Amino acid sequence: MPFAKRIAKLNPSITLAVDAKAKALKAQGLDVVGFGAGEPDFDTPPHIRDAAIKGLNEGLTRYTPAAGMPQLRQAVADFYQSRYGLPASPKNVAICCGAKHALYNVFQLLLDPGDEVIIPAPYWVSYPEMVWLAEGEAVILPTDESTSFRLSAEQLRAAITPRTKVLVLNSPSNPTGATYSRRELEALAEVAREKNLWVIADEIYEYLVYDGFEFVSFPTVGNDLFERTIIVSGASKTYAMTGWRIGWAVGPEPLIEMMSRLLSQSTSNATSFAQAGAIAALKGSPDIIREMVAMFAKRRNVMVEFLRNIPGVECFNPEGAFYVFPKVSSYYGKTYQGKTIDGSLAMCEYLLDAVQVAAVPGIGFGQDANIRLSYATSMDQIEKGLERIRRALLEL
């Protein structure tokens, strides 16, 4: 029985596939070091868990409005008002089943068949697939270590056609950890105005920045940008709430109203008592976030220094998120048990088979020369995994 064409061409998430394979091997008793998962290894803070439990005990188990509880929409709006000075109200906020779901909804709302979406590479693996599911066309603009993985305004302007409708900006970036300064965002914003583009600002890692870097939310670089920007974020990364599936979109009121309609005909509301936990997260002390960021910074420093000391490996120093994206292509063309390592997929298969380290192939992010390693795991696991990688590469 044939499937719909949009489904038949759909690729599975390579990051989730790697994480699932690593967990399956661990379940078999193998000592696997997993660098694949894009989720903090910390527990959800107690006050957030307590708020969800309280909600359960008080009967918060029924439907909420499709776009989320009014109290959570207000809490999100308050956050953007107080942190960034944006003119957000609850009518500018839709609560979704994770930031991924919010992104999916935005593409469904904005794209008609053939509309082009500009996506800088390396990119998060799901962007092109979501564009495809909305019948749009992803236009990939490459960046690399020489540009610190940043898209320039000139590169953006040159890629725009009459069919270009959307620019996707992910800062800090998954998989590179690259960020944009205010000046760089101002230059990109000028092109967005000139060409009348929507901008999807994926800011899920906004709190996870290092070395004193000041994160800049895209619509804050111009008073008019709030009306052409959809911010996508959520509770998953900042508050170690990945499994709670609470994300949000913040944007112009007409778009949020249409998203509410879409939610009413698709998923309905995000889980009610998880929304109660998210309210507590947004209203709670930021101390737990600072502690988590400090630990991530230490792990990042260890990983970058170690990888840079492996012959033939280049490693960009990420300014945010919790990934490193080392370039390992100098080892391509080598063989292992009669198999040629011809790209990042083969490299990751080699690392898993030879030394039981799970990494994510860069090809899934549009950059086959690299692999992604998450440092959202313990220092012991990081040190053990890095030593295994070093040994595996030097044995080729």
Side-chain angles (χ1 to χ4, degrees), residues 138 204 258:
I204 190 69
M258 294 304 295

Side-chain angles (χ1 to χ4, degrees), residues 115-194:
D115 284 344
E116 292 179 348
V117 178
I118 292 179
I119 302 173
Y123 47 75
W124 180 53
V125 296
S126 293
Y127 293 146
E129 304 299 324
M130 289 181 179
V131 170
W132 165 252
L133 287 170
E135 299 187 75
E137 295 184 12
V139 178
I140 308 302
L141 299 188
T143 69
D144 57 24
E145 289 84 356
S146 68
T147 61
S148 297
F149 294 112
R150 294 184 180 95
L151 179 72
S152 70
E154 294 74 18
Q155 193 178 8
L156 172 61
R157 182 177 283 107
I160 292 172
T161 76
R163 294 193 297 162
T164 306
K165 193 169 187 179
V166 179
L167 166 66
V168 176
L169 277 182
N170 178 206
S171 176
S173 162
N174 174 8
T176 67
T179 55
Y180 287 86
S181 69
R182 178 172 295 275
R183 180 174 297 180
E184 289 163 336
L185 291 177
E186 287 172 345
L188 294 170
E190 186 59 36
V191 180
R193 290 189 193 95
E194 177 187 327

Side-chain angles (χ1 to χ4, degrees), residues 210-228:
Y210 314 111
D211 300 333
F213 181 85
E214 181 182 354
F215 170 78
V216 180
S217 181
F218 178 77
T220 66
V221 302
N223 292 332
D224 60 323
L225 295 176
F226 191 69
E227 294 304 315
R228 68 170 66 252

Side-chain angles (χ1 to χ4, degrees), residues 46-360:
H47 73 283
I48 299 173
R49 301 199 305 267
D50 290 344
I53 293 168
K54 183 174 184 289
L56 278 169
N57 289 336
E58 293 180 352
L60 188 58
T61 58
R62 301 183 182 278
Y63 294 131
T64 76
M69 294 168 54
Q71 302 94 316
L72 179 53
R73 296 176 75 182
Q74 182 68 63
V76 173
D78 290 346
F79 170 82
Y80 284 96
Q81 288 178 23
S82 62
R83 183 167 170 83
Y84 301 119
L86 293 172
S89 77
K91 292 182 178 180
N92 297 112
V93 178
I95 307 302
C96 301
C97 303
K100 179 183 284 189
H101 183 221
L103 284 163
Y104 179 88
N105 291 336
V106 172
F107 286 124
Q108 290 293 322
L109 290 171
L110 293 184
L111 299 182
D112 285 317
D115 284 344
E116 292 179 348
V117 178
I118 292 179
I119 302 173
Y123 47 75
W124 180 53
V125 296
S126 293
Y127 293 146
E129 304 299 324
M130 289 181 179
V131 170
W132 165 252
L133 287 170
E135 299 187 75
E137 295 184 12
V139 178
I140 308 302
L141 299 188
T143 69
D144 57 24
E145 289 84 356
S146 68
T147 61
S148 297
F149 294 112
R150 294 184 180 95
L151 179 72
S152 70
E154 294 74 18
Q155 193 178 8
L156 172 61
R157 182 177 283 107
I160 292 172
T161 76
R163 294 193 297 162
T164 306
K165 193 169 187 179
V166 179
L167 166 66
V168 176
L169 277 182
N170 178 206
S171 176
S173 162
N174 174 8
T176 67
T179 55
Y180 287 86
S181 69
R182 178 172 295 275
R183 180 174 297 180
E184 289 163 336
L185 291 177
E186 287 172 345
L188 294 170
E190 186 59 36
V191 180
R193 290 189 193 95
E194 177 187 327
K195 301 298 183 180
N196 196 29
L197 302 182
W198 283 101
V199 178
I200 299 175
D202 182 349
E203 299 180 350
I204 190 69
Y205 298 99
E206 60 193 298
Y207 266 112
L208 305 183
V209 291
Y210 314 111
D211 300 333
F213 181 85
E214 181 182 354
F215 170 78
V216 180
S217 181
F218 178 77
T220 66
V221 302
N223 292 332
D224 60 323
L225 295 176
F226 191 69
E227 294 304 315
R228 68 170 66 252
T229 303
I230 305 98
I231 300 173
V232 173
S233 191
S236 294
K237 315 296 184 180
T238 301
Y239 304 103
M241 294 173 64
T242 52
W244 295 59
R245 308 316 301 136
I246 297 293
W248 48 77
V250 179
E253 188 175 329
L255 181 138
I256 296 301
E257 170 57 31
M258 294 304 295
M259 187 175 292
S260 179
R261 295 189 198 181
L262 179 60
L263 288 164
S264 75
Q265 296 290 2
S266 55
T267 57
S268 299
N269 59 278
T271 301
S272 53
F273 49 87
Q275 292 187 59
I279 294 170
L282 286 164
K283 291 186 175 182
S285 168
D287 289 348
I288 185 64
I289 302 172
R290 296 191 189 102
E291 294 171 10
M292 189 164 62
V293 170
M295 183 60 71
F296 282 144
K298 292 178 182 178
R299 296 172 181 178
R300 178 205 63 163
N301 293 342
V302 168
M303 291 194 83
V304 170
E305 181 179 4
F306 193 104
L307 289 164
R308 285 179 171 177
N309 284 323
I310 300 175
V313 174
E314 297 179 42
C315 188
F316 172 77
N317 191 31
E319 296 132 332
F322 42 62
Y323 312 103
V324 290
F325 198 58
K327 187 176 182 179
V328 295
S329 55
S330 66
Y331 289 91
Y332 295 174
K334 309 282 188 181
T335 59
Y336 168 69
Q337 295 185 348
K339 297 180 180 178
T340 300
I341 298 177
D342 57 0
S344 61
L345 186 60
M347 173 60 76
C348 289
E349 289 174 349
Y350 166 61
L351 293 176
L352 191 57
D353 291 342
V355 293
Q356 288 75 59
V357 170
V360 185

